[in-house]
Amino acid sequence: PNEKGDTRFRFQGLLKSKNEEGNTRFHMQWDRLSDDRMVSDFRDSEFNVSKIKESYLEFAHYREQSLVEVTVRPRLNEFQSLSQELPSAVYSIRPFEIWNTGIISENYLSGSYLDYTFANRLDKELKHRESGRISTLNTIYRPFSFGGFSVTPKGGIIGIYYSKSPDRDAAGQFLYTYGGDVNARVSKEFETVKHTLEPYAQYLGYTRPQVPVDDYFIFSILDGYDRLDQVRFGLRQLFFSKQNPI
């Protein structure tokens, strides 16, 4: 209790489990505080209150050809601003080759109900944001090898549907993605270790989105698409042990 006699508390928990095969897992954790000053007020070596932990529930099931993930991320502390996932789900199938063309297809589908809730002090002043959201990300790519070089052109689409928007109507978003990777691999073997160098260059581009950003809600960076042309260069270094191969 504090000097005014108010009861202050912190309630934390963690629960996780997985099956024997390891392809199904469950994780739940929570952190409930009585007020936003608990962390700063109780700074004592005998009572150490660390920073506020994230509260969420996550279920995942992996199969040979697909995976499913379901997440629930509620706001437990009213003094926090949070984009709640009530819930969100992701479904993906294993990348596959289209007939015998060498072209690989990757596909992701997600659905969620999102509710961006502001802290109590701000909630009355700022507009409430909530919407159902369905998105699809579909990409195709084709690797080509030329001696020690590998070139992989890529292309795809991103589509998003929102059940609500700032003007309360449904809204959608659509854009194309394009780009590619170029990399080379050089290796040298020593007595116990193999050292590999991979210089690479990556290009990623987005077409201009079909809908202006002001016409739909932004819950995270996954909603803030814009026209993009990006080039990245880098160097990977890999070390492989001959004595203890993976």
Side-chain angles (χ1 to χ4, degrees):
N2 64 13
E3 295 179 356
K4 297 181 180 180
D6 298 326
T7 301
R8 307 178 72 186
F9 64 87
R10 183 177 195 180
F11 179 50
Q12 290 181 305
L14 172 64
L15 175 64
K16 56 183 179 180
S17 177
K18 63 180 180 180
N19 64 351
E20 294 182 357
E21 293 78 14
N23 64 338
T24 301
R25 59 182 174 82
F26 175 84
H27 182 105
M28 180 171 65
Q29 66 179 52
W30 62 92
D31 194 358
R32 175 76 167 90
L33 281 76
S34 59
D35 59 85
D36 59 347
R37 300 187 63 181
M38 276 287 294
V39 174
S40 60
D41 285 355
F42 289 92
R43 294 189 178 276
D44 187 280
S45 59
E46 297 180 359
F47 187 73
N48 182 25
V49 179
S50 60
K51 66 179 182 179
I52 302 174
K53 292 181 172 58
E54 196 174 8
S55 298
Y56 66 92
L57 178 154
E58 186 177 74
F59 170 82
H61 179 65
Y62 303 88
R63 305 186 67 178
E64 184 177 353
Q65 299 297 329
S66 63
L67 69 87
V68 176
E69 292 185 349
V70 179
T71 303
V72 179
R73 200 178 306 273
R75 185 184 71 164
L76 299 187
N77 301 303
E78 296 183 351
F79 53 83
Q80 290 181 299
S81 296
L82 179 68
S83 181
Q84 301 182 98
E85 301 174 38
L86 304 171
S88 66
V90 177
Y91 175 74
S92 173
I93 60 175
R94 187 173 182 174
F96 62 91
E97 182 180 2
I98 301 177
W99 297 301
N100 294 315
T101 61
I103 300 174
I104 308 300
S105 176
E106 289 186 359
N107 303 275
Y108 297 88
L109 177 67
S110 66
S112 55
Y113 186 82
L114 304 175
D115 181 3
Y116 199 105
T117 304
F118 294 96
N120 281 355
R121 300 171 184 174
L122 302 174
D123 203 32
K124 296 179 180 180
E125 305 296 331
L126 301 175
K127 293 182 179 179
H128 199 53
R129 303 179 185 181
E130 58 179 325
S131 174
R133 183 183 187 277
I134 299 175
S135 68
T136 180
L137 172 60
N138 309 94
T139 305
I140 57 174
Y141 57 91
R142 173 66 160 89
F144 296 93
S145 296
F146 304 95
F149 288 88
S150 176
V151 179
T152 307
K154 300 180 179 181
I157 60 171
I158 297 174
I160 308 174
Y161 168 81
Y162 301 90
S163 64
K164 293 181 182 180
S165 63
D167 61 7
R168 314 312 293 177
D169 295 327
Q173 183 60 284
F174 182 83
L175 64 150
Y176 294 99
T177 68
Y178 52 90
D181 301 339
V182 179
N183 63 72
R185 173 173 288 201
V186 180
S187 299
K188 183 175 179 59
E189 295 191 11
F190 299 93
E191 184 176 348
T192 59
V193 175
K194 179 180 179 181
H195 182 205
T196 300
L197 291 176
E198 288 188 0
Y200 67 88
Q202 298 176 339
Y203 172 65
L204 173 63
Y206 295 151
T207 60
R208 189 171 300 281
Q210 300 295 310
V211 179
V213 69
D214 292 337
D215 291 352
Y216 61 93
F217 291 127
I218 300 295
F219 294 99
S220 72
I221 194 172
L222 298 178
D223 300 298
Y225 289 104
D226 202 351
R227 179 78 174 86
L228 176 70
D229 287 292
Q230 175 183 279
V231 179
R232 297 177 59 187
F233 298 93
L235 177 66
R236 300 186 187 96
Q237 295 197 68
L238 306 173
F239 294 90
F240 302 93
S241 172
K242 296 181 180 180
Q243 298 178 344
N244 300 295
I246 298 176

